[in-house]
Amino acid sequence: QVQLVESGGGLVQAGGSLRLSCTASGRTPSSYAMGWFRQAPGKEREFVGTISGSNAGTRYADSVKGRFTISRENVKSTLFLQMNSLKPEDTAVYYCAARSYSLTSPNVNEYDYWGQGTQVTVSS
């Protein structure tokens, strides 16, 4: 069993930056792949980025490549999402997720554990 708690969301102006954190508790082996997803009102949850549990390899959605960076600190069981050059279209609730497998996946249905989400609002 894994519990995930996100933090770091807030209101920023376009062009600004935020760093989201996700702290895991319970069984949180470093071999688990982790991911960030987001969901805007009235929209489906979408992939943002993921990091492997084996070699820290990463994947990103095209919409955030070059702006967002995902990383993890295994000793503290913490996942991060550094978001730079934020745009109003980045506004969403951001969710941390984990899957019981080491390889990355962009698919919502392949993740086993989810946090409660943290709101990110980017003003124009």
Side-chain angles (χ1 to χ4, degrees):
Q1 186 176 0
V2 176
Q3 297 83 45
L4 305 173
V5 179
E6 303 96 334
S7 62
L11 174 64
V12 298
Q13 293 185 339
S17 298
L18 281 175
R19 189 175 78 155
L20 305 183
S21 299
C22 171
T23 299
S25 61
R27 292 191 297 107
T28 56
S30 60
S31 61
Y32 280 17
M34 304 286 291
W36 287 99
F37 296 79
R38 65 188 183 187
Q39 187 167 23
K43 304 292 185 180
E44 295 185 354
R45 192 165 299 185
E46 67 175 357
F47 168 71
V48 174
T50 184
I51 185 167
S52 76
S54 57
N55 61 1
T58 57
R59 298 179 182 178
Y60 298 94
D62 289 341
S63 60
V64 306
K65 285 181 179 177
R67 299 189 298 120
F68 291 10
T69 303
I70 190 170
S71 60
R72 66 192 299 167
E73 171 54 71
N74 291 330
V75 174
K76 296 186 291 185
S77 299
T78 303
L79 180 74
F80 301 99
L81 182 67
Q82 179 66 48
M83 304 185 294
N84 299 324
S85 302
L86 283 162
K87 305 174 181 179
E89 49 263 47
D90 295 319
T91 295
V93 176
Y94 283 71
Y95 295 91
C96 171
R99 64 188 303 236
S100 301
Y101 195 60
S102 63
L103 299 183
T104 59
S105 172
N107 303 315
V108 170
N109 63 357
E110 294 186 357
Y111 285 78
D112 304 298
Y113 309 101
W114 294 86
Q116 84 289 349
T118 185
Q119 177 70 46
V120 172
T121 302
V122 184
S123 64
S124 58

